[in-house]
Amino acid sequence: MTVLEAAPPFVPTMPRTGKPFSVRMSNCGSLGWVSDKAGGYRYQPTHPETGEAWPPIPAILLDLWSDVASYPELPEACLVNIYSEQAKMGLHRDEDEEDFAAPVLSVSLGDTARFRIGGTARKDPTRSFDLESGDVVVLGGESRLVYHGVDRIKPGTAELGLDCVPGAARINLTLRRVSTP
Ligand code: MD3
Ligand code: FE
């Protein structure tokens, strides 16, 4: 069974307002990131709709982490972000984890994303660049806590087809440590 068969994509909603994200999500690992109106942003061991445990992180991703993350513990969470051609992600910092010493490892697949990064304060100036299919980024040190977001997807830019995931133009995987060792 594939990760997305075991843990079907869900639509997270914003804390307090309940506004739906344009990005669909799933997770694998012992913990997964979820968000809804009542509970807000959090990590939990089960799928918010099926109540099932998340499936394990595939070995190929654990191997990638071991090769490039320079961190002694294995990741606990792999968030799967599924972007349609219209989806975007607002400027935010990843701060729902307890362990900021561990890097975040990102893998981009499918269509190119126009990506924006700023500084550690929301008002800091931002720069933009493209994240292309196959790009692997390790966010460690100071970059771990900078503001970032996805402004838009560039439809039709990928050679890699994501036909196996209906509605997906781009998929981004982020591997993380959540708890301190
Ligand atoms: C930070 N995901 O899930 S990948 C997220 O493309 C998230 O789906 C984005 O932000 C996505 O929280 C971005 C992670 C990433 C990549 C490059 C960065 C974060 C970055 C460069 C600088 C700072
Ligand atoms: Fe992020």
Side-chain angles (χ1 to χ4, degrees):
M1 190 142 78
T2 67
V3 166
L4 294 182
E5 284 167 354
F10 62 94
V11 178
T13 57
M14 291 292 289
R16 292 181 297 279
T17 64
K19 182 177 186 278
F21 282 54
S22 62
V23 178
R24 290 182 299 145
M25 297 184 181
S26 183
N27 290 273
C28 49
S30 54
L31 291 169
W33 189 89
V34 302
S35 177
D36 54 40
K37 184 175 178 171
Y41 302 158
R42 63 198 186 274
Y43 285 90
Q44 64 179 41
T46 55
H47 191 287
E49 292 170 0
T50 70
E52 300 274 348
W54 304 108
I57 300 176
I60 192 170
L61 293 173
L62 296 177
D63 289 346
L64 177 65
W65 173 279
S66 300
D67 287 346
V68 305
S70 309
Y71 194 76
E73 311 289 332
L74 286 174
E76 297 167 288
C78 175
L79 174 62
V80 182
N81 290 150
I82 303 168
Y83 292 80
S84 67
E85 290 186 348
Q86 292 81 29
K88 45 194 167 35
M89 187 178 289
L91 207 65
H92 68 277
R93 299 199 308 174
D94 295 8
E95 53 190 4
D96 303 320
E97 302 79 20
E98 176 182 299
D99 188 357
F100 290 153
V104 174
L105 172 61
S106 155
V107 180
S108 292
L109 299 170
D111 282 343
T112 298
R114 192 65 180 165
F115 188 75
R116 182 189 294 267
I117 67 166
T120 50
R122 184 174 280 281
K123 60 171 172 34
D124 290 340
T126 62
R127 289 175 301 154
S128 293
F129 59 91
D130 285 347
L131 283 177
E132 294 177 6
S133 191
D135 284 353
V136 173
V137 184
V138 181
L139 297 321
E142 296 213 335
S143 65
R144 174 70 180 74
L145 284 170
V146 301
Y147 278 86
H148 58 277
V150 173
D151 286 343
R152 63 192 175 87
I153 304 300
K154 299 184 173 179
T157 47
E159 297 190 34
L160 177 69
L162 294 180
D163 308 353
C164 51
V165 184
R170 172 175 187 262
I171 294 180
N172 180 268
L173 309 171
T174 51
L175 291 120
R176 305 147 189 273
R177 285 292 304 177
V178 178
S179 42
T180 46

